[in-house]
Structures are given as C-alpha cells and as structure tokens.
C-alpha cells in the first residue's frame, strides 16, 4: 500500500468512467491516490474492482483521475474532486469532521514495523531510538502521531519496494509499512502481527454535500452487501483482511 507519494511533479490523469455514461454533469469526480495493489493508474486495483461491482447497483457515474498520493489529497481539498479514496481521518482533521462524509469501508489497513525475514521482529518503536527507519514519503500524514518524540531517524523514500531494497542493503534497521500494501513483499520480511503501530480503514471520502451523501448512502449499502457475501475476499485474495462489517453504518451522515 504505497500509501503516500509526495511527488508534486507531472500529474497522471487517468480520467475515465467506472460505469456506463448517463449524464456528464452528474458524474462524481473521484481522485485516485497511488496505493500499491489497491489503487492503480490502469484501474485494476482491488478497491477499484470492488467499486466497479458496487456501482452496478448504484446508477451513478464515477470518473476517476489518478494522481500521486499527496497530490490526490490536494486536488480534493481544493475542490477539484468530489470524492477521494482513503484519507478519511486525515481530511477530517484538516477540514473538520462536518466538512466530509464517508462510505462503508473498502478495507482495513494496519501499520507495522518490518525487518528482514532472517531477523527477529521489532514490535516497539522505543527499541529503535537513535536508529534509521525507512518509510514511504507521504506516510507521515498518518504516522506523525506515532513517530513524535521517538528519537528515530526516518529515511523517506518513494515506495515500499525501494524500502525493501534499502533494508536488504542495510541502509536502515527496520521499515514501517502498511498491511495489506506490503503483502507482495512479505516473503522477505518479518513482523509481529499482534503489535500494529496504527490501524484504520480505507473508505471513499467525499465533500459533505447533499448529492454526495445520497451517493454514498446507496454505495455503502452495496459495499456492505458485497463484503458480507464474500466478494471483497474473492477480489482481494491475499490482500484481504477481515473486519467486522456490523460496526459500520451504511448511510452517509446527514447535513450538520
């Protein structure tokens, strides 16, 4: 889950519809950040597959535009998109909880400390004080609150793949990454699954408008149905991690 790329350079526009066109001016503009295996420029990411299935029962057009992760958030904040994948907690803090509305979760993610497979897992940040730790540029949006005052030298790179390579070359003692993003690299890594640094959920996050609330209310019903019927697990495969769907309402919050 290459959750946050800081690149503000060339934007990658992959504007296209996830459903058959109905009315151009009624499309939901969806900003798509780059998340390893979960969201991709060519629209074959796990969350995009789940969305396509859910939208079949919603009757609303969605036009995707793909960006580096932090750029996607900036586009959303500046009104260039109606909705964005992920960032729910971050945007609630930055814009205010009343400014956004959100869907039923597309999936769960957890951050962990990783070392090479041959090494014993490191489960506590305190054990890495004064040492170098790798993380993906942009992950600080979530990780700042767990890294504060830890005395760790964080080396920020562009991708999980690059961090794994740097770990193999002993550039740092450990790396921080999210599950399920890092799953494709787990054969090389060791971690303690009982000691997450942070846990949260990926959702569709939208500006809190009447139109978006109506859209998310319908979408969330379909998402919950797909999750309960096992479609999430079918589409995600090894990237699927169970969560209790009954904990989440399937209607978007009303206007404040």
């Amino acid at each position: 889950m290459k959750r946050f790329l800081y690149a503000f350079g060339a934007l990658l526009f992959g504007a296209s519809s996830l459903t058959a066109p109905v009315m151009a001016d009624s499309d939901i503009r969806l900003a798509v950040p780059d998340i390893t295996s979960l969201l991709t420029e060519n629209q074959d990411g796990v969350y995009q597959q789940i969305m396509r299935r859910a939208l079949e029962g919603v009757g609303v057009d969605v036009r995707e535009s793909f960006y580096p992760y932090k750029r996607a958030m900036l586009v959303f904040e500046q009104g260039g998109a109606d909705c964005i994948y992920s960032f729910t907690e971050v945007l609630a803090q930055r814009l205010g909880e009343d400014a956004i509305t959100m869907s039923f979760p597309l999936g769960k993610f957890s951050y962990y400390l990783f070392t090479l497979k041959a090494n014993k897992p490191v489960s506590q940040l305190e054990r890495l004080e004064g040492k170098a730790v790798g993380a993906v540029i942009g992950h600080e949006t979530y990780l700042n609150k767990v890294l504060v005052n830890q005395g760790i030298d964080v080396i920020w790179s562009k991708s999980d793949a690059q961090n794994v390579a740097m770990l193999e070359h002993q550039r740092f003692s450990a790396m921080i990454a999210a599950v399920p993003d890092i799953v494709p690299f787990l054969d090389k890594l060791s971690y303690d699954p009982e000691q997450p640094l942070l846990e949260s959920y990926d959702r569709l996050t939208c500006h809190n408008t009447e139109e978006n609330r109506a859209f998310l209310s319908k979408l969330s019903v379909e998402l919950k149905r797909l999750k309960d019927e096992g479609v999430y697990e079918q589409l995600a495969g090894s990237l699927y991690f169970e969560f209790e769907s009954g904990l989440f309402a399937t209607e978007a919050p009303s206007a404040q």
Side-chain angles (χ1 to χ4, degrees), residues 2 13 34 49 70 85 96 99 127 146 171 173 214 242 244:
K2 188 172 51 183
F13 292 98
D34 186 4
Q49 295 179 51
K70 271 208 162 182
Y85 285 101
R127 293 180 57 190
V146 299
R171 291 288 302 277
S173 302
E242 183 59 62
E244 178 52 59

Side-chain angles (χ1 to χ4, degrees), residues 18-19 46-60 62 85 103-106 204 215-227 231-232 235:
L18 289 176
T19 60
V46 170
Y47 291 162
Q48 289 154 306
Q49 295 179 51
I50 292 172
M51 276 288 291
R52 273 194 294 273
R53 291 289 296 273
L55 287 169
E56 292 174 2
V58 174
V60 175
V62 172
Y85 285 101
S103 74
F104 181 84
L106 290 156
L204 208 64
F215 164 59
L216 290 184
S217 290
K218 294 179 180 179
L219 178 69
S220 292
V221 170
E222 290 299 310
L223 290 175
K224 184 178 185 300
R225 179 182 65 80
L226 293 176
K227 197 271 184 187
V231 177
Y232 274 30
L235 293 175

Side-chain angles (χ1 to χ4, degrees), residues 32-101:
V32 184
D34 186 4
I35 302 180
T36 305
S37 301
L38 301 179
L39 294 168
T40 66
E41 184 179 8
N42 60 10
Q43 298 188 328
D44 64 353
V46 170
Y47 291 162
Q48 289 154 306
Q49 295 179 51
I50 292 172
M51 276 288 291
R52 273 194 294 273
R53 291 289 296 273
L55 287 169
E56 292 174 2
V58 174
V60 175
D61 280 359
V62 172
R63 290 186 293 114
E64 288 197 350
S65 295
F66 182 85
Y67 307 95
Y69 208 88
K70 271 208 162 182
R71 187 67 178 185
M73 185 168 66
L74 182 63
V75 168
F76 175 82
E77 287 180 305
Q78 295 180 345
D82 302 298
C83 303
I84 185 173
Y85 285 101
S86 194
F87 278 126
T88 304
E89 295 177 4
V90 175
L91 289 167
Q93 294 171 1
R94 293 177 64 154
L95 303 179
E97 292 185 1
D98 295 346
I100 63 167
T101 182

Side-chain angles (χ1 to χ4, degrees), residues 24-215:
D25 60 358
S26 66
D27 290 353
I28 298 292
R29 301 167 300 159
L30 177 54
V32 184
D34 186 4
I35 302 180
T36 305
S37 301
L38 301 179
L39 294 168
T40 66
E41 184 179 8
N42 60 10
Q43 298 188 328
D44 64 353
V46 170
Y47 291 162
Q48 289 154 306
Q49 295 179 51
I50 292 172
M51 276 288 291
R52 273 194 294 273
R53 291 289 296 273
L55 287 169
E56 292 174 2
V58 174
V60 175
D61 280 359
V62 172
R63 290 186 293 114
E64 288 197 350
S65 295
F66 182 85
Y67 307 95
Y69 208 88
K70 271 208 162 182
R71 187 67 178 185
M73 185 168 66
L74 182 63
V75 168
F76 175 82
E77 287 180 305
Q78 295 180 345
D82 302 298
C83 303
I84 185 173
Y85 285 101
S86 194
F87 278 126
T88 304
E89 295 177 4
V90 175
L91 289 167
Q93 294 171 1
R94 293 177 64 154
L95 303 179
E97 292 185 1
D98 295 346
I100 63 167
T101 182
M102 68 208 73
S103 74
F104 181 84
L106 290 156
K108 179 180 179 179
F109 66 89
S110 303
Y111 281 102
Y112 294 93
L113 282 166
F114 293 88
T115 56
L116 290 178
K117 196 75 172 180
N119 298 331
K120 184 178 179 180
V122 177
S123 58
Q124 297 179 337
L125 286 168
E126 291 82 358
R127 293 180 57 190
L128 295 169
E129 183 175 358
K131 297 182 179 180
V133 175
V136 173
I137 294 171
H139 279 229
E140 71 275 7
T141 312
Y142 277 94
L143 293 176
N144 275 345
K145 59 185 178 183
V146 299
L147 292 173
V148 64
N149 298 324
Q150 292 293 336
I152 295 171
D153 178 19
V154 181
I155 299 176
W156 302 99
S157 68
K158 293 182 178 181
S159 69
D160 288 317
Q162 183 176 347
N163 278 339
V164 172
M166 293 175 71
L167 190 61
E168 291 178 317
H169 286 86
Q170 301 181 346
R171 291 288 302 277
F172 36 70
S173 302
M175 60 178 281
I176 301 173
V179 173
D181 311 30
I182 199 67
V183 165
F185 304 98
L186 283 183
D187 61 328
K188 300 180 178 181
L189 301 172
S190 175
Y191 77 109
D192 184 351
E194 301 301 320
Q195 296 293 329
L197 300 177
L198 180 153
E199 293 183 310
S200 190
Y201 299 87
D202 282 319
R203 307 166 179 261
L204 208 64
T205 309
C206 302
H207 294 290
N208 193 8
T209 67
E210 182 177 357
E211 180 181 14
N212 291 341
R213 290 193 302 272
F215 164 59

